[in-house]
Amino acid sequence: MTTPQAPRTTPAPSTSPISPVDLFASALHIHPGGDVRVAGPRTTIDDTGVWHVGTFHVETDADVHADHWEMHPEADEVVCCLSGGFRVYFRPHEPGGAEDMVRLRAGTAVIVVRGRRHRLELDAPSDLMSITLRHGTRLERRTGAQ
């Protein structure tokens, strides 16, 4: 005697279309709980706990606000060089001290620790990616910047 088999079921199709996301025209926001949403590339995030993944093509130092120090108070930041090359400068801990510098080439990244003021200068037109919690990000004009 054979036992009847349960009918086979297939998973329901997804209700959202599967399509590529243009990372240079959009940003990804990773929300607490794991939801990922597509947003504008330079969207300001007012929500705490939302990770911002932004990818940018930059041509000049003005594109990376080289005349300002940037600081993220809520999390570390990963700055990735996808193509080209640039330098990441870190503001000295003590007034009058020397800036620390890391040179990035395609395929490399640096982790900027939470609360550390930093800035970028280009060696060539570049594609870069930044991953951080942007809530509370602060920009401060560099003293003596052109």
Side-chain angles (χ1 to χ4, degrees), residues 79-97:
V79 179
C80 310
C81 181
L82 304 176
S83 70
F86 55 90
R87 289 157 282 137
V88 181
Y89 289 91
F90 299 89
R91 188 160 94 177
H93 291 291
E94 301 295 325

Side-chain angles (χ1 to χ4, degrees), residues 40-92:
R42 302 207 186 251
T43 304
T44 302
I45 302 171
D46 292 328
D47 296 336
T48 58
V50 176
W51 286 86
H52 179 91
V53 179
T55 307
F56 310 96
H57 178 75
V58 291
E59 297 273 338
T60 69
D61 284 342
D63 294 335
V64 293
H65 56 76
D67 59 343
H68 283 75
W69 292 110
E70 181 178 66
M71 189 270 290
H72 308 285
E74 294 192 9
D76 295 348
E77 177 182 27
V78 180
V79 179
C80 310
C81 181
L82 304 176
S83 70
F86 55 90
R87 289 157 282 137
V88 181
Y89 289 91
F90 299 89
R91 188 160 94 177

